[in-house]
Amino acid sequence: MSHQHALIIFIDNSQKRENSNLAQEIGIEKTLAIQKVLSQVTQSITDQLLHTKIIFYSDYIDQNDNWSNTEYEKQLQQGKNMGERMKNAFEYVFNLETQPIKQACIIWGDVTELTLWHLTKSYYALNTHDCVLGPTNSGTYYLLGMKSVIEEVFQNKTWGNPNIIRSTCDGMHELRKSYYLLPYLSDINSIEHFTPQFSKLLIDIGIMSDTELINIKDQNSKQ
């Protein structure tokens, strides 16, 4: 079973997040520190999978990061926009000559609540559905799973748009494709999306203080 399943992990290592909501709230230095923590949390989950695992980096292939060079194949994202990069990553996986892949899922490293259950459930859902979507509270998704490349999913989309989940589901209906929705999870586009558990983790390891978190949330509520 595991040899026919692939997990695609998209990693943004561009270090160009100055314009993100989170960077504007807490600064680029702390944003990058939080991204590193999230990467470690994600890795602790994906390490448990025996599937074919491939990391696609945004800017350069990092052979010296915390992701194992033996457990994870490492590639570079290809494409002009997120849709093209995702489609090309799926096509790469489904065309692997050394390992016939029947199901593939893609995730990103910025969802604090992702667990092994969400990943395992995705592959089981693909046994009876054409597509699996993991929606976030901001209207995007933290996971996308397929049994073959459905090109329409990646076309004519405004990536980062809060309606991306709705438009993807509408597109599945038009194509008469079945899809399975995983539970909604929080991403970290803003401190407002931090779960209590993740906030506590950041406080415990010294990236943020309780006072900082409270002050920023108060500022956001006044805007």
Side-chain angles (χ1 to χ4, degrees), residues 9-196:
I9 306 167
F10 261 34
I11 297 292
D12 181 0
N13 60 353
S14 65
Q15 298 194 0
K16 296 177 181 178
R17 304 183 182 90
E18 292 87 348
N19 296 323
S20 70
N21 290 335
L22 189 61
Q24 292 177 14
E25 290 175 342
I26 64 175
I28 186 62
E29 183 176 345
K30 289 187 176 181
T31 298
L32 293 175
I34 288 174
Q35 291 289 343
K36 185 175 180 179
V37 172
L38 283 168
S39 178
Q40 293 170 344
V41 171
T42 301
Q43 184 191 359
S44 70
I45 297 167
T46 60
D47 277 352
Q48 301 175 60
L49 286 178
L50 299 178
H51 304 348
T52 297
K53 295 177 287 191
I54 306 176
I55 297 174
F56 284 84
Y57 294 93
S58 62
D59 276 36
Y60 63 93
I61 296 175
D62 193 344
Q63 302 289 357
N64 299 312
D65 60 10
N66 57 299
W67 298 89
S68 169
N69 294 325
T70 56
E71 293 187 24
Y72 296 84
E73 180 183 339
K74 297 184 175 183
Q75 296 290 335
L76 195 63
Q77 297 173 25
Q78 303 289 340
K80 298 178 181 179
N81 55 49
M82 180 57 69
E84 285 188 14
R85 294 195 291 270
M86 291 168 61
K87 181 177 73 71
N88 290 335
F90 273 104
E91 288 181 342
Y92 175 87
V93 167
F94 282 122
N95 288 314
L96 285 175
E97 295 181 359
T98 56
Q99 197 69 267
I101 300 300
K102 294 186 177 180
Q103 297 179 355
C105 292
I106 184 172
I107 62 170
W108 291 260
D110 59 353
V111 181
T112 63
E113 301 168 300
L114 184 71
T115 68
L116 185 62
W117 179 89
H118 296 96
L119 297 179
T120 304
K121 182 64 177 179
S122 300
Y123 294 104
Y124 279 110
L126 284 172
N127 290 331
T128 53
H129 296 77
D130 297 306
C131 179
V132 174
L133 291 164
T136 70
N137 56 3
S138 61
T140 59
Y141 45 75
Y142 60 86
L143 182 147
L144 172 65
M146 296 180 173
K147 293 186 287 191
S148 61
V149 178
I150 305 173
E151 293 196 8
E152 290 83 355
V153 170
F154 309 105
Q155 298 172 348
N156 303 317
K157 298 287 194 308
T158 302
W159 300 100
N161 186 296
N163 293 317
I164 194 70
I165 274 287
R166 180 180 294 275
S167 64
T168 302
C169 292
D170 290 344
M172 291 294 98
H173 281 300
E174 293 176 3
L175 294 169
R176 296 187 177 181
K177 299 281 188 180
S178 60
Y179 64 88
Y180 180 88
L181 279 180
L182 292 167
Y184 277 79
L185 296 183
S186 299
D187 54 22
I188 61 153
N189 291 332
S190 168
I191 279 185
E192 297 297 329
H193 297 153
F194 286 8
T195 63

Side-chain angles (χ1 to χ4, degrees), residues 201-217:
L201 174 61
L202 296 181
I203 293 171
D204 289 344
I205 61 181
I207 292 180
M208 302 282 295
S209 70
D210 190 32
T211 301
E212 284 180 293
L213 289 169
I214 293 173
N215 289 340
I216 294 172
K217 287 183 179 180

